[in-house]
Amino acid sequence: MRFRHPDGSVVHLSYCTNVHPAETLDGVLAQLRDHCEPVRRRLGRDRLGVGLWLAKDAARALHTDPASLRGLRADLDRRGLEVVTLNGFPYEGFGANEVKYRVYRPDWTEPERLAYTSVLADLLAALLPDDVTEGSVSTLPLAWRTVFDERAAATARTALTTLAERLDALAELTGKSIRIALEPEPGCTIETTADAIAPLTAVAHPRIGICVDTCHLATSFEEPVAALNALTAAGIAIPKVQLSAALHAEHPHLAGVRDALAAFAEPRFLHQTRTRTADGLHSTDDLHEALTPDALPTGAPWRSHFHVPLHAPPAPPLTSTLGVLKAALGHLVGGPVPLTHHLEVETYTWQALPAELRPRTRAQLADGIAAELGLARDLLHDLGLKELP
């Protein structure tokens, strides 16, 4: 969906297709037919933005076969769908029964990451609507935190600089400006927005910026306005924002709260869990670890990296961090000039929810995604943005 900001520019709202497992081009086309178009119809829109996740095999197939790429573009147009952003964080296997730490490989010290992201940039330049000149690709925040020394940092910096040069050449060739956005995530080398400032300043290229994920922001207990102001002060671009909400437990010392949290500890994705006390941030890599005795202090709220549906926070005694999303969104697009033009709803954990909360049919999943986008649309209306046809 497109919205006109009071400054006259267009802000795009999409939803990320990584919620629908697909590793091949045929799988991507099935997503558009079975999920994306039904969501658009539920919203009553002639056009819906989708943030495509193209796994490495699907991306390679499109990149080596121009006819297939033209076919994908035609299918998007036929179904009333448009693409201005890609999710380039997962490389492959995001629909596997167990993802966990595998989602962080290859990282930015490995040549496969540069090659994959370069391919995504080429593809996005071809998929952008004719009247859109700027696209964004979100990506891994360099690497998982372990074994990332100065040599690794230099290798990653060189890869990003090489990518920036390729993006410059792509813009000159196609007239389409593709920007890459590193997405801070708990447990990674770049865990917070503050962590992103030094490496992005070292690369110092306008096509390399940050993707602010509001679930990750909340999980790390970052104060949204202060975090965003710091990025602005450092001159860090925000090509993309992912609208998501984390799992929040206000009173983790209570047995009932811990039982409720245990229902969200599942084997597929990593759910980094944090609490902030007077002596700083305490963390575990996963929710089940946090629930073991004495793993985390229990005298302050816990937050877990579990993307819960925006419109349907978990039942008490748990809730979500939707308030953090609202505060961030107000600062990002509620001012005289938007700090980003690409917004993406990214709740990829629908099928990881406790069994009684999971959608049981495609129709129920489409209903839920449409409800999330409807909530985001209402928030943008409240901030003074006008929905475009």
Side-chain angles (χ1 to χ4, degrees), residues 184 190-198 210-212 217 222 226-228 230-231:
I190 298 177
E191 172 160 338
T192 66
T193 57
D195 294 337
I197 292 174
I210 191 170
C211 171
V212 176
L217 193 77
E222 291 195 79
L228 296 171
L231 292 175

Side-chain angles (χ1 to χ4, degrees), residues 282-323:
H282 303 261
S283 62
T284 63
D285 282 355
D286 214 343
L287 179 54
H288 74 272
E289 297 171 12
L291 293 170
T292 60
D294 302 320
L296 290 179
T298 58
W302 288 6
R303 290 176 179 173
S304 187
H305 173 217
F306 195 119
H307 290 219
V308 296
L310 302 186
H311 68 294
L318 304 178
T319 187
S320 79
T321 60
L322 183 62

Side-chain angles (χ1 to χ4, degrees), residues 238-258:
I238 308 174
K240 177 176 181 177
V241 171
Q242 289 176 324
L243 303 178
S244 53
L247 187 64
H248 180 95
E250 186 69 18
H251 302 292
H253 64 285
L254 299 177
V257 174
R258 297 170 73 84

Side-chain angles (χ1 to χ4, degrees), residues 119-179:
V119 165
L120 292 182
D122 290 347
L123 296 176
L124 183 55
L127 292 173
L128 285 176
D130 292 339
D131 62 343
V132 175
T133 58
E134 185 172 292
S136 60
V137 180
S138 50
T139 187
L140 178 78
L142 299 187
W144 185 250
R145 68 179 183 275
T146 53
V147 198
F148 197 82
D149 55 17
E150 181 49 43
R151 181 176 180 180
T155 300
R157 188 163 55 248
T158 298
L160 288 172
T161 300
T162 299
L163 177 64
E165 294 168 352
R166 292 177 182 177
L167 296 177
D168 285 342
L170 182 64
E172 188 170 332
L173 178 66
T174 66
K176 304 290 189 178
S177 176
I178 306 301
R179 296 198 293 172

Side-chain angles (χ1 to χ4, degrees), residues 68-89:
S68 292
L69 183 55
R70 290 193 298 269
L72 173 59
R73 174 69 184 270
D75 200 55
L76 288 162
D77 292 341
R78 183 169 59 252
R79 299 189 186 283
L81 306 170
E82 65 178 14
V83 176
V84 302
T85 187
L86 299 179
N87 188 329
F89 195 134

